[in-house]
Amino acid sequence: MPFDREESDDRAAFSRRAVLIGAGQTAFFGLIAARLYQLQVIDGQQYSLIADENRINVRLIAPMRGEIRDRFGRVVATNEPELKVLLVPEQVEDLNVTLDRVGRIITLGPDVRREVLERAKKQRPFLPVTIADKLTWEEFAALNVHALHLPGTYTEVGWQRRYPLGASFAHVSGYVGAVSRDDFDGDGLLRLPRFAIGKTGVEKAADKALRGQAGSVTVEIEASGRVVRELERRPPRVGKQVVLTVDHEVQQ
């Protein structure tokens, strides 16, 4: 009888331990299942968006500035192509190394390098910084050929202002220049690198009309920052044309 009682106690103790272990395992796997449900179902959309932000990049495209013409349609101010190379600081592991690589393809003086590094520190890391503009076609093509080895950089065809009528219209047309802190009016265009706005004359008086509206391009990028493909493009809207009452011949 004592032996039977001890055996019964051992069985009871074993059963209790088995129940506790089973309950612990059930609770553990229940927690894992709950966490998986939260990650995949409840927070799945949030993490999906975060993943998209890591591989999808949206860039603003500067519009072409509107032309200024005299009363008979002669061009007072127009645009000509400008080839340039830019970089996005947050997509570059080491700015100095990247600038070294770019410097092996085009000439980058110490002042240019210093300016790029200073601008990258001052502005938000997702905003592009112009490395060089007014590139030759040969330089532009070489940068595109080596794009795979220059992650975080990209080339772009921009526009620069030209005044074909020269000095006779200089005080009327005015000129464009870099955006200063006092010029910010909430337009995202003004945060683009090297974006120019009217400073004097008609360029300043009609700046908002001449400025146009930004476009955008959505691209898919690899972890290294290399563009894989273009997903969507919304073209910019060219600035409005301004026609003056001034006659070029009389002005001359």
Side-chain angles (χ1 to χ4, degrees), residues 64-69 74-82 134 159-167 169-170 173-176 196 203:
M64 186 186 299
R65 194 169 177 84
E67 290 186 330
I68 302 175
R69 295 177 177 263
R74 298 182 183 90
V75 176
V76 175
T78 186
N79 310 283
E80 59 184 15
E82 180 185 41
K134 297 181 176 61
W159 302 95
Q160 61 181 347
R161 209 62 164 160
R162 187 171 68 87
Y163 302 96
L165 299 183
F169 261 87
S173 63
Y175 65 91
V176 296
E203 293 278 27

Side-chain angles (χ1 to χ4, degrees), residues 51 170 181:
R181 290 186 178 181

